[in-house]
């Protein structure tokens, strides 16, 4: 085991005995939601995974250690410290570790640490992707490169239309990442069930998700698999309301010259301000929905 990695005893025991484990990210805790809803949600997500037969492993960097499996106290710490926890992508790991700092793991770093620990399934809300205007800004999330190289199945609710969804799908195609729609032919757009873009394949059961991912692993094909799971109908938002807020947020980001790692958190916070409590409630529900599917899929995978 590498000296930078710290796996909780519960997660370690589960991995060793082949029990299903689901990884969870911490940027959604420290940067994605306000305190205390962030902590409440993170704990509810963990409980949902347990209720569906798997062991949760919330991933974060604490005091320079790569943690697979956080305690409720550590989750409280990450949630309370909020934006002061550095948003940590792949390029941030070396210096954060050297300095013994904390880091909130994005999809990218959660995949890296999950793979190091031997965890194959990861549930989150939304992934990063190719930003609108990327043809000049070159702002493409490291999440896409990670999906191209690290063997973890990422279960999300699609991507928000703060991104260019068409270009995001093109990029994933080039990199050989399968984009699966869970019980849908259409890529969900996080707050809404539809985006107007098709997925590569529709899969209707956790068992088939597990079989497809196992085939990818067995063949030694690099990289992960992206499973997009639409937000439940009753919690989905009006596309016009959300798209108007997103356009406004992007205009403001451009005016203020927001760039680099600030772009995604800025846009997410702005959209949340403009749409009030509705978008937070939707966000919480879709994460719980992804946690359920991830737990069932990790269970199916461990039965193969
Ligand atoms: N998109 C969301 N919610 C999020 C994120 C993205 O709808 O919380 C977070 C995730 O942690 C994701 C990261 O991995 O932002 C991507 O950031 P960037 O675009 O800077 O790569
Ligand atoms: Mn970026």
């Amino acid at each position: 085991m590498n000296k930078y990695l710290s796996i909780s005893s519960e997660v370690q025991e589960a991995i060793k005995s082949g029990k299903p484990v689901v990884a969870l990210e911490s940027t959604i805790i420290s940067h994605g939601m306000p305190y205390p809803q962030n902590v409440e949600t993170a704990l509810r997500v963990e409980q949902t995974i347990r209720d569906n037969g798997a062991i949760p492993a919330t991933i974060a960097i604490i005091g320079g250690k790569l943690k697979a499996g956080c305690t409720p106290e550590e989750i409280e710490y990450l949630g309370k410290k909020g934006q002061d926890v550095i948003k940590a992508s792949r390029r941030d790991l070396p210096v954060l570790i050297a300095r013994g700092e904390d880091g909130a793991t994005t999809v990218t770093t959660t995949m890296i640490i999950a793979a190091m620990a031997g965890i194959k399934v990861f549930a989150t809300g939304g992934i990063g992707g190719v930003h609108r205007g990327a043809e000049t800004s070159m702002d493409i999330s490291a999440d896409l490169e990670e999906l191209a190289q690290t063997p973890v199945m990422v279960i999300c609710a699609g991507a928000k239309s703060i991104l260019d969804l068409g270009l995001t799908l093109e990029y994933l195609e080039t990199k050989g990442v399968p984009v699966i729609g869970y019980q849908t032919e259409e890529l969900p757009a996080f707050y809404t069930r539809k985006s107007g873009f098709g997925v590569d394949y529709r899969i209707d059961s956790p068992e088939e998700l597990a079989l497809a991912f196992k085939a990818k692993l067995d063949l030694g094909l690099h990289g992960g698999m992206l499973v997009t799971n639409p937000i439940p109908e009753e919690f989905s938002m009006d596309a016009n309301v959300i798209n108007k807020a997103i356009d406004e947020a992007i205009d403001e980001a451009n005016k203020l010259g927001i760039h680099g790692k600030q772009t995604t958190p800025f846009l997410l916070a702005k959209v949340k301000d403009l749409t009030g409590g509705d978008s937070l409630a939707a966000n919480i529900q879709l994460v719980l929905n992804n946690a359920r599917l991830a737990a069932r899929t990790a269970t199916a995978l461990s039965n193969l």
Side-chain angles (χ1 to χ4, degrees), residues 14 18 20-21 33 35 67 69-70 80 82 98 115 119 148 153 158 163 175 197 212 248 259 269 279 293 302:
V21 179
M33 290 180 194
Y35 181 80
K67 292 267 195 186
C70 287
K80 206 167 195 171
I119 303 169
M153 188 196 298
L163 302 171
K175 293 289 180 174
F197 294 95
E248 234 179 288
H259 65 275
S279 65
L293 178 59
S302 71

Side-chain angles (χ1 to χ4, degrees), residues 237-256:
M237 293 183 67
D238 182 328
N240 293 323
V241 171
I242 201 74
N243 289 335
K244 190 169 163 279
I246 286 172
D247 288 342
E248 234 179 288
I250 290 176
D251 274 352
E252 186 158 344
N254 289 339
K255 270 192 209 117
L256 294 172

Side-chain angles (χ1 to χ4, degrees), residues 87-94 104-106 108-109 112 142-143 261:
K87 176 184 159 199
S89 191
R90 177 176 268 268
R91 57 95 188 263
D92 301 288
L93 290 181
T105 53
T106 62
T108 296
T109 37
I112 294 172
D143 292 354
K261 71 188 290 187

Side-chain angles (χ1 to χ4, degrees), residues 25 27 87 106-107 126-128 131 141-143 160 190 264 268:
E25 64 155 299
T27 290
K87 176 184 159 199
T106 62
V107 168
I127 60 156
H131 279 266
S141 174
D143 292 354
K160 293 198 180 97
F190 197 89
T264 297
L268 297 181

